[in-house]
Amino acid sequence: VNCPLSDEGIREIKLALSEVTTQYTTPRFFGIISGTPEEALQSELAALKTAGIDQYMESIQSQLDEYMKSIGE
């Protein structure tokens, strides 16, 4: 889908999510974690929630839904 997405209204969340990627996701990909893998993943998920992942996903989904309606899907 070639949907033009806007980060208007969610820029701060997008930046916070980028920080979570830097602090948690990338190190986890390389096996650099504290504690067990399960604990590391739980910490990452909690950080994503705190950063606003749910609001971010709702905004993106809303834009996709609008776009799909506009093209008749």
Side-chain angles (χ1 to χ4, degrees):
V1 176
N2 190 18
C3 174
L5 296 174
S6 169
D7 66 357
E8 189 173 328
I10 55 172
R11 285 186 187 118
E12 289 180 14
I13 295 172
K14 189 174 181 180
L15 290 172
L17 294 173
S18 179
E19 286 295 319
V20 172
T21 299
T22 301
Q23 286 186 314
Y24 294 90
T25 311
T26 302
R28 184 175 50 80
F29 284 154
F30 291 104
I32 304 168
I33 59 172
S34 296
T36 67
E38 292 81 10
E39 292 168 338
L41 186 56
Q42 288 303 315
S43 294
E44 184 177 344
L45 292 174
L48 287 167
K49 290 278 189 187
T50 300
I53 188 74
D54 293 327
Q55 184 182 354
Y56 183 82
M57 293 300 295
E58 286 174 19
S59 176
I60 298 300
Q61 186 63 56
S62 174
Q63 291 180 57
L64 287 171
D65 292 345
E66 247 180 71
Y67 176 74
M68 295 305 284
K69 282 182 190 175
S70 76
I71 63 170
E73 291 291 321

